[in-house]
Short mmCIF file of all heavy atoms in Angstrom, two decimals:
data_model
loop_
_atom_site.label_atom_id
_atom_site.label_comp_id
_atom_site.label_asym_id
_atom_site.label_seq_id
_atom_site.Cartn_x
_atom_site.Cartn_y
_atom_site.Cartn_z
N GLU R 51 20.23 -4.38 12.68
CA GLU R 51 20.63 -5.66 12.43
C GLU R 51 20.92 -6.09 10.98
O GLU R 51 21.37 -7.27 10.77
CB GLU R 51 19.52 -6.57 12.98
CG GLU R 51 18.26 -6.64 12.26
CD GLU R 51 17.31 -5.49 12.67
OE1 GLU R 51 17.56 -4.60 13.41
OE2 GLU R 51 16.13 -5.43 12.06
N ASP R 52 20.70 -5.18 10.02
CA ASP R 52 20.91 -5.52 8.60
C ASP R 52 22.34 -5.86 8.36
O ASP R 52 23.23 -5.22 8.88
CB ASP R 52 20.53 -4.32 7.81
CG ASP R 52 19.04 -4.20 7.58
OD1 ASP R 52 18.31 -5.24 7.76
OD2 ASP R 52 18.58 -3.08 7.27
N VAL R 53 22.62 -6.72 7.43
CA VAL R 53 23.83 -7.01 6.89
C VAL R 53 23.94 -6.28 5.60
O VAL R 53 23.01 -6.40 4.72
CB VAL R 53 24.09 -8.59 6.67
CG1 VAL R 53 25.55 -8.84 5.97
CG2 VAL R 53 23.99 -9.37 7.89
N VAL R 54 24.88 -5.38 5.42
CA VAL R 54 24.95 -4.47 4.29
C VAL R 54 26.06 -4.81 3.32
O VAL R 54 27.21 -4.94 3.67
CB VAL R 54 25.13 -2.96 4.89
CG1 VAL R 54 25.10 -2.03 3.60
CG2 VAL R 54 23.98 -2.56 5.82
N PHE R 55 25.58 -4.95 2.06
CA PHE R 55 26.64 -5.07 0.95
C PHE R 55 26.51 -3.97 0.05
O PHE R 55 25.37 -3.41 -0.19
CB PHE R 55 26.37 -6.46 0.14
CG PHE R 55 26.40 -7.64 1.06
CD1 PHE R 55 25.20 -8.18 1.54
CD2 PHE R 55 27.59 -8.32 1.42
CE1 PHE R 55 25.21 -9.35 2.34
CE2 PHE R 55 27.54 -9.48 2.22
CZ PHE R 55 26.45 -9.92 2.67
N GLU R 56 27.54 -3.63 -0.68
CA GLU R 56 27.38 -2.56 -1.63
C GLU R 56 28.13 -3.06 -2.87
O GLU R 56 29.24 -3.62 -2.81
CB GLU R 56 28.09 -1.32 -1.11
CG GLU R 56 27.86 -0.16 -2.21
CD GLU R 56 27.95 1.20 -1.61
OE1 GLU R 56 28.25 1.41 -0.36
OE2 GLU R 56 28.04 2.12 -2.41
N ASP R 57 27.34 -3.04 -3.98
CA ASP R 57 27.90 -3.40 -5.35
C ASP R 57 27.42 -2.58 -6.40
O ASP R 57 26.19 -2.20 -6.36
CB ASP R 57 27.48 -4.93 -5.57
CG ASP R 57 28.17 -5.55 -6.78
OD1 ASP R 57 29.31 -5.13 -7.01
OD2 ASP R 57 27.55 -6.40 -7.35
N ASN R 58 28.21 -2.10 -7.28
CA ASN R 58 27.90 -1.27 -8.33
C ASN R 58 27.17 0.01 -7.77
O ASN R 58 26.37 0.54 -8.48
CB ASN R 58 27.07 -1.95 -9.40
CG ASN R 58 27.75 -2.95 -10.31
OD1 ASN R 58 28.82 -2.57 -10.71
ND2 ASN R 58 27.17 -4.11 -10.55
N GLY R 59 27.59 0.50 -6.73
CA GLY R 59 27.18 1.76 -6.13
C GLY R 59 25.79 1.60 -5.45
O GLY R 59 25.15 2.62 -5.12
N VAL R 60 25.25 0.34 -5.32
CA VAL R 60 23.88 0.20 -4.71
C VAL R 60 24.13 -0.76 -3.44
O VAL R 60 24.84 -1.67 -3.40
CB VAL R 60 22.95 -0.68 -5.64
CG1 VAL R 60 21.72 -0.95 -5.02
CG2 VAL R 60 22.73 0.11 -6.89
N LYS R 61 23.48 -0.26 -2.36
CA LYS R 61 23.38 -1.05 -1.12
C LYS R 61 22.34 -2.14 -1.20
O LYS R 61 21.25 -1.81 -1.45
CB LYS R 61 23.22 -0.12 0.10
CG LYS R 61 24.29 0.74 0.48
CD LYS R 61 24.17 1.55 1.68
CE LYS R 61 25.38 2.35 2.19
NZ LYS R 61 25.69 3.41 1.30
N VAL R 62 22.74 -3.23 -0.81
CA VAL R 62 21.82 -4.44 -0.54
C VAL R 62 21.71 -4.73 0.89
O VAL R 62 22.82 -5.10 1.51
CB VAL R 62 22.30 -5.58 -1.33
CG1 VAL R 62 21.29 -6.77 -1.22
CG2 VAL R 62 22.33 -5.31 -2.84
N LEU R 63 20.62 -4.69 1.47
CA LEU R 63 20.38 -5.01 2.96
C LEU R 63 19.65 -6.26 3.15
O LEU R 63 18.69 -6.60 2.47
CB LEU R 63 19.43 -3.74 3.56
CG LEU R 63 19.78 -2.31 3.11
CD1 LEU R 63 18.73 -1.42 3.59
CD2 LEU R 63 21.23 -1.97 3.60
N VAL R 64 20.30 -7.04 3.98
CA VAL R 64 19.82 -8.41 4.19
C VAL R 64 19.66 -8.62 5.70
O VAL R 64 20.56 -8.45 6.52
CB VAL R 64 20.83 -9.44 3.69
CG1 VAL R 64 20.35 -10.95 3.92
CG2 VAL R 64 21.06 -9.22 2.08
N ASP R 65 18.53 -9.30 6.00
CA ASP R 65 18.33 -9.51 7.49
C ASP R 65 19.09 -10.85 7.76
O ASP R 65 19.28 -11.73 6.98
CB ASP R 65 16.84 -9.65 7.83
CG ASP R 65 16.24 -10.95 7.22
OD1 ASP R 65 15.72 -10.80 6.12
OD2 ASP R 65 16.25 -12.04 7.79
N PRO R 66 19.75 -10.89 8.98
CA PRO R 66 20.62 -11.96 9.35
C PRO R 66 19.90 -13.38 9.08
O PRO R 66 20.62 -14.39 8.81
CB PRO R 66 21.01 -11.82 10.78
CG PRO R 66 20.76 -10.43 10.98
CD PRO R 66 19.59 -9.99 10.09
N LYS R 67 18.67 -13.61 9.42
CA LYS R 67 17.98 -14.80 9.28
C LYS R 67 17.97 -15.33 7.78
O LYS R 67 18.00 -16.46 7.56
CB LYS R 67 16.51 -14.77 9.83
CG LYS R 67 16.53 -14.56 11.32
CD LYS R 67 15.00 -14.45 11.81
CE LYS R 67 14.97 -14.11 13.30
NZ LYS R 67 13.69 -13.81 13.74
N SER R 68 17.87 -14.41 6.91
CA SER R 68 17.85 -14.78 5.40
C SER R 68 19.27 -15.14 4.89
O SER R 68 19.25 -15.71 3.80
CB SER R 68 17.29 -13.63 4.62
OG SER R 68 15.91 -13.39 4.94
N MET R 69 20.27 -14.61 5.47
CA MET R 69 21.62 -14.81 4.99
C MET R 69 21.92 -16.25 4.62
O MET R 69 22.50 -16.43 3.51
CB MET R 69 22.59 -14.25 5.97
CG MET R 69 23.65 -13.15 5.59
SD MET R 69 23.45 -12.36 4.09
CE MET R 69 24.81 -13.17 3.12
N ALA R 70 21.57 -17.20 5.45
CA ALA R 70 21.80 -18.60 5.20
C ALA R 70 21.27 -19.03 3.96
O ALA R 70 21.87 -19.98 3.22
CB ALA R 70 21.45 -19.41 6.39
N TYR R 71 20.22 -18.52 3.42
CA TYR R 71 19.49 -18.93 2.27
C TYR R 71 19.95 -18.23 0.95
O TYR R 71 19.86 -18.77 -0.11
CB TYR R 71 18.02 -18.73 2.46
CG TYR R 71 17.44 -19.47 3.64
CD1 TYR R 71 16.99 -18.78 4.68
CD2 TYR R 71 17.31 -20.86 3.66
CE1 TYR R 71 16.50 -19.47 5.85
CE2 TYR R 71 16.86 -21.54 4.74
CZ TYR R 71 16.46 -20.78 5.85
OH TYR R 71 15.94 -21.51 6.92
N ILE R 72 20.44 -17.01 1.17
CA ILE R 72 20.84 -16.15 -0.12
C ILE R 72 22.22 -15.79 -0.14
O ILE R 72 22.58 -15.06 -1.03
CB ILE R 72 19.89 -14.98 -0.07
CG1 ILE R 72 20.04 -14.05 1.15
CG2 ILE R 72 18.45 -15.39 -0.27
CD1 ILE R 72 19.15 -12.80 1.00
N ASP R 73 23.05 -16.28 0.67
CA ASP R 73 24.51 -16.01 0.64
C ASP R 73 25.06 -16.47 -0.80
O ASP R 73 24.75 -17.53 -1.15
CB ASP R 73 25.35 -16.78 1.67
CG ASP R 73 26.77 -16.29 1.66
OD1 ASP R 73 26.95 -15.19 1.26
OD2 ASP R 73 27.58 -17.08 2.27
N GLY R 74 25.68 -15.46 -1.37
CA GLY R 74 26.25 -15.85 -2.70
C GLY R 74 25.29 -15.40 -3.88
O GLY R 74 25.66 -15.67 -5.08
N THR R 75 24.21 -14.99 -3.61
CA THR R 75 23.10 -14.62 -4.61
C THR R 75 23.58 -13.44 -5.42
O THR R 75 24.10 -12.50 -4.89
CB THR R 75 21.74 -14.47 -3.92
OG1 THR R 75 21.38 -15.77 -3.30
CG2 THR R 75 20.65 -13.94 -4.98
N GLN R 76 23.28 -13.57 -6.67
CA GLN R 76 23.45 -12.43 -7.57
C GLN R 76 22.16 -11.99 -8.03
O GLN R 76 21.38 -12.84 -8.49
CB GLN R 76 24.38 -12.73 -8.77
CG GLN R 76 24.57 -11.46 -9.64
CD GLN R 76 25.48 -11.76 -10.81
OE1 GLN R 76 25.21 -12.80 -11.56
NE2 GLN R 76 26.52 -11.08 -11.06
N LEU R 77 21.77 -10.70 -7.95
CA LEU R 77 20.53 -10.09 -8.39
C LEU R 77 20.81 -9.46 -9.81
O LEU R 77 21.59 -8.75 -10.00
CB LEU R 77 20.21 -9.05 -7.33
CG LEU R 77 18.78 -8.37 -7.56
CD1 LEU R 77 17.69 -9.41 -7.48
CD2 LEU R 77 18.59 -7.36 -6.46
N ASP R 78 19.84 -9.93 -10.73
CA ASP R 78 20.02 -9.45 -12.11
C ASP R 78 18.51 -8.81 -12.44
O ASP R 78 17.63 -9.11 -11.78
CB ASP R 78 20.30 -10.64 -13.00
CG ASP R 78 20.65 -10.08 -14.42
OD1 ASP R 78 20.79 -9.05 -14.71
OD2 ASP R 78 20.91 -10.97 -15.27
N PHE R 79 18.54 -7.98 -13.45
CA PHE R 79 17.32 -7.43 -13.92
C PHE R 79 17.30 -7.71 -15.41
O PHE R 79 18.20 -7.41 -16.23
CB PHE R 79 17.27 -6.02 -13.84
CG PHE R 79 15.97 -5.25 -14.14
CD1 PHE R 79 14.88 -5.46 -13.23
CD2 PHE R 79 15.64 -4.76 -15.35
CE1 PHE R 79 13.70 -4.92 -13.47
CE2 PHE R 79 14.57 -4.22 -15.69
CZ PHE R 79 13.54 -4.29 -14.74
N VAL R 80 16.17 -8.50 -15.87
CA VAL R 80 16.10 -9.11 -17.14
C VAL R 80 14.90 -8.67 -17.79
O VAL R 80 13.85 -8.53 -17.20
CB VAL R 80 16.31 -10.64 -17.19
CG1 VAL R 80 17.73 -11.05 -16.65
CG2 VAL R 80 15.24 -11.29 -16.27
N ARG R 81 14.97 -8.63 -19.22
CA ARG R 81 13.82 -8.46 -20.04
C ARG R 81 13.57 -9.74 -20.91
O ARG R 81 14.48 -10.05 -21.57
CB ARG R 81 13.86 -7.27 -20.87
CG ARG R 81 13.83 -5.92 -20.17
CD ARG R 81 13.73 -4.81 -21.14
NE ARG R 81 13.44 -3.55 -20.28
CZ ARG R 81 14.43 -2.72 -19.91
NH1 ARG R 81 15.68 -2.99 -20.17
NH2 ARG R 81 13.99 -1.67 -19.22
N GLU R 82 12.44 -10.34 -20.80
CA GLU R 82 12.21 -11.57 -21.60
C GLU R 82 10.86 -11.28 -22.34
O GLU R 82 9.80 -11.30 -21.67
CB GLU R 82 12.18 -12.72 -20.62
CG GLU R 82 13.47 -13.06 -19.98
CD GLU R 82 13.36 -14.13 -18.97
OE1 GLU R 82 12.25 -14.65 -18.69
OE2 GLU R 82 14.34 -14.64 -18.45
N GLY R 83 10.92 -10.93 -23.57
CA GLY R 83 9.80 -10.55 -24.35
C GLY R 83 9.13 -9.31 -23.84
O GLY R 83 9.89 -8.34 -23.71
N LEU R 84 7.86 -9.37 -23.37
CA LEU R 84 7.27 -8.25 -22.85
C LEU R 84 7.38 -8.05 -21.36
O LEU R 84 7.01 -7.07 -20.80
CB LEU R 84 5.74 -8.20 -23.30
CG LEU R 84 5.45 -8.19 -24.71
CD1 LEU R 84 3.93 -8.32 -25.04
CD2 LEU R 84 5.95 -6.91 -25.36
N ASN R 85 7.97 -9.09 -20.73
CA ASN R 85 8.18 -9.10 -19.29
C ASN R 85 9.54 -8.59 -18.90
O ASN R 85 10.53 -8.82 -19.58
CB ASN R 85 7.84 -10.41 -18.73
CG ASN R 85 6.51 -11.00 -18.99
OD1 ASN R 85 5.44 -10.26 -18.97
ND2 ASN R 85 6.37 -12.24 -19.38
N GLU R 86 9.58 -7.94 -17.78
CA GLU R 86 10.93 -7.66 -17.21
C GLU R 86 10.80 -7.76 -15.64
O GLU R 86 9.64 -7.59 -15.12
CB GLU R 86 11.26 -6.21 -17.54
CG GLU R 86 10.40 -5.03 -17.08
CD GLU R 86 10.81 -3.65 -17.51
OE1 GLU R 86 11.55 -3.53 -18.36
OE2 GLU R 86 10.39 -2.74 -16.88
N GLY R 87 11.86 -8.00 -15.10
CA GLY R 87 11.84 -8.17 -13.62
C GLY R 87 13.14 -8.67 -13.12
O GLY R 87 14.16 -8.91 -13.87
N PHE R 88 13.25 -8.68 -11.74
CA PHE R 88 14.50 -9.20 -11.07
C PHE R 88 14.55 -10.74 -11.19
O PHE R 88 13.64 -11.34 -11.08
CB PHE R 88 14.51 -8.64 -9.74
CG PHE R 88 14.75 -7.27 -9.57
CD1 PHE R 88 13.72 -6.39 -9.20
CD2 PHE R 88 16.01 -6.78 -9.63
CE1 PHE R 88 14.04 -5.00 -9.11
CE2 PHE R 88 16.33 -5.44 -9.58
CZ PHE R 88 15.29 -4.46 -9.32
#
Side-chain angles (χ1 to χ4, degrees):
E51 67 274 7
D52 284 337
V53 180
V54 181
F55 301 98
E56 187 162 349
D57 192 28
N58 286 319
V60 174
K61 284 185 176 67
V62 180
L63 315 174
V64 180
D65 69 273
K67 292 178 187 172
S68 295
M69 232 14 253
Y71 303 107
I72 59 177
D73 185 26
T75 295
Q76 183 179 51
L77 184 60
D78 194 7
F79 188 78
V80 295
R81 287 190 173 95
E82 295 173 350
L84 297 175
N85 299 319
E86 64 181 17
F88 287 102

